[in-house]
Amino acid sequence: MSTQENVITVRGVHNQFGSHVVHHDLDLDVRSGEIIGIVGGSGTGKSVLLRTIVGLRKPQAGTINILGKEIFPNEHHDTDLNDEIGLLFQDGALFSSMTVAENVMAPLREHHPEISDKLAEEIAGMKLSLSGLDESVGMKMPSDLSGGMRKRVALARAMALDPRILFLDEPTAGLDPIGAAKFDELIISLRDNLGLTIFMITHDLDSLYRDCDRVAVLADKHVVINAPLSEVERFDHDWIQDYFGGPRGRAAEGAMSSRLEA
Ligand SMILES: Nc1ncnc2c1ncn2[C@@H]1O[C@H](COP(=O)(O)OP(=O)(O)O)[C@@H](O)[C@H]1O
Ligand SMILES: [Mg+2]
């Protein structure tokens, strides 16, 4: 793993809505092949940061580079990232009137209309199995599935175009602890087997301890630290100390160390 190579470089980003400054002078590096966890209190701008990095929102200042491509400022308006990044949004909504397979095929249909129906169906089946689902699930409607299965379908859709970077916004929110643990295992296996880089916003301390190589903390309008968890936990910052030092943080850390000892 060439962990030192940056696949995402964010410098000096400023985002504000009216007079409400969300990000000021925000820097972030994401390295190739890592699972980076993005944490921060509610409303600190985690989702806005994700949307800004993938080019869905233009910041008021700063520079953003993904895989050597300039996302912002993008003077030539020619940056096409569709084939390189996969997105799983916070609500993760599937199209309810389409079958599961049609949902997974949607990005293919949109960006690669030249692909035949037969091939698109094969690709959808493959992505569903990569996401830990039986290919036969493809014929079902989203409403027939459990919440955990719907998340997996959304993940299969995010992987439809063989991305190099996956962006996940709170992927385990709403799952029970067992469903969340299984989803975490899946994320790790995708990184290990496909060499994906994974940018994951999460509130879930268990996920952070299980999955993440590094954790970036959003507070005070910027990334206050981006480091392995062992370093983040020791960082002298009120929100971080409350978050990791609180009872939930200690329980998640305890669960991780007993697993490592076992
Ligand atoms: N389109 C928008 N218009 C106005 N304010 C917004 C918009 N999107 C986000 N915000 C504000 O930006 C802040 C950060 O939002 P968000 O990134 O969604 O937070 P979170 O860290 O919980 O994901 C919040 O105060 C939110 O109200
Ligand atoms: Mg959010």
Side-chain angles (χ1 to χ4, degrees):
M1 213 179 358
S2 54
T3 46
Q4 298 313 310
E5 182 201 342
N6 271 1
V7 290
I8 302 175
T9 308
V10 177
R11 290 289 177 270
V13 157
H14 185 95
N15 262 311
Q16 84 184 69
F17 298 97
S19 61
H20 177 199
V21 177
V22 177
H23 300 137
H24 181 68
D25 208 7
L26 182 150
D27 295 346
L28 179 68
D29 290 320
V30 179
R31 298 170 184 165
S32 178
E34 77 175 341
I35 302 180
I36 186 166
I38 312 294
V39 301
S42 188
T44 49
K46 303 180 293 296
S47 298
V48 170
L49 178 61
L50 189 161
R51 294 174 58 79
T52 305
I53 291 177
V54 303
L56 290 171
R57 181 187 151 74
K58 292 199 189 314
Q60 277 86 357
T63 60
I64 296 162
N65 193 288
I66 302 186
L67 297 164
K69 292 180 182 171
E70 190 182 78
I71 305 303
F72 187 85
N74 180 6
E75 320 262 312
H76 308 293
H77 306 286
D78 58 353
T79 310
D80 180 1
L81 279 176
N82 289 324
D83 288 357
E84 324 238 45
I85 64 175
L87 298 168
L88 199 166
F89 288 111
Q90 193 156 7
D91 44 28
L94 300 174
F95 304 113
S96 57
S97 62
M98 293 184 185
T99 65
V100 164
E102 284 165 350
N103 266 280
V104 179
M105 285 187 278
L108 288 163
R109 296 262 188 254
E110 187 181 347
H111 300 293
H112 293 278
E114 75 281 6
I115 291 179
S116 71
D117 287 355
K118 185 162 178 297
L119 181 57
E121 277 160 28
E122 277 170 25
I123 294 173
M126 208 170 76
K127 301 301 170 182
L128 287 171
S129 16
L130 262 180
S131 301
L133 293 169
D134 195 278
E135 287 185 30
S136 64
V137 170
M139 290 174 314
K140 300 196 181 215
M141 298 306 285
S143 55
D144 296 330
L145 307 181
S146 68
M149 287 171 90
R150 281 204 290 268
K151 295 268 186 194
R152 284 170 191 259
V153 175
L155 186 66
R157 185 174 64 186
M159 292 194 300
L161 302 177
D162 295 327
R164 292 171 61 192
I165 309 177
L166 269 184
F167 290 86
L168 312 174
D169 197 345
E170 310 262 6
T172 57
L175 298 184
D176 61 54
I178 294 172
K182 288 189 175 154
F183 198 90
D184 284 337
E185 273 172 32
L186 174 61
I187 299 290
I188 295 170
S189 79
L190 291 175
R191 191 276 304 275
D192 291 348
N193 297 324
L194 303 177
L196 293 176
T197 302
I198 298 175
F199 177 105
M200 180 169 69
I201 297 174
T202 185
H203 266 118
D204 186 339
L205 277 162
D206 291 323
S207 285
L208 285 179
Y209 280 96
R210 272 194 293 260
D211 296 0
C212 296
D213 301 298
R214 290 195 303 160
V215 172
V217 181
L218 217 59
D220 315 329
K221 308 187 188 344
H222 63 276
V223 173
V224 294
I225 182 170
N226 177 11
L229 255 178
S230 53
E231 244 175 84
V232 173
E233 287 171 333
R234 292 196 306 266
F235 193 68
D236 183 14
H237 184 282
D238 287 349
W239 186 84
I240 294 176
Q241 286 312 314
D242 283 351
Y243 191 66
F244 290 100
R248 287 187 59 228
R250 284 195 300 272
E253 187 191 11
M256 193 63 203
S257 9
S258 51
R259 200 171 316 131
L260 289 177
E261 283 154 17

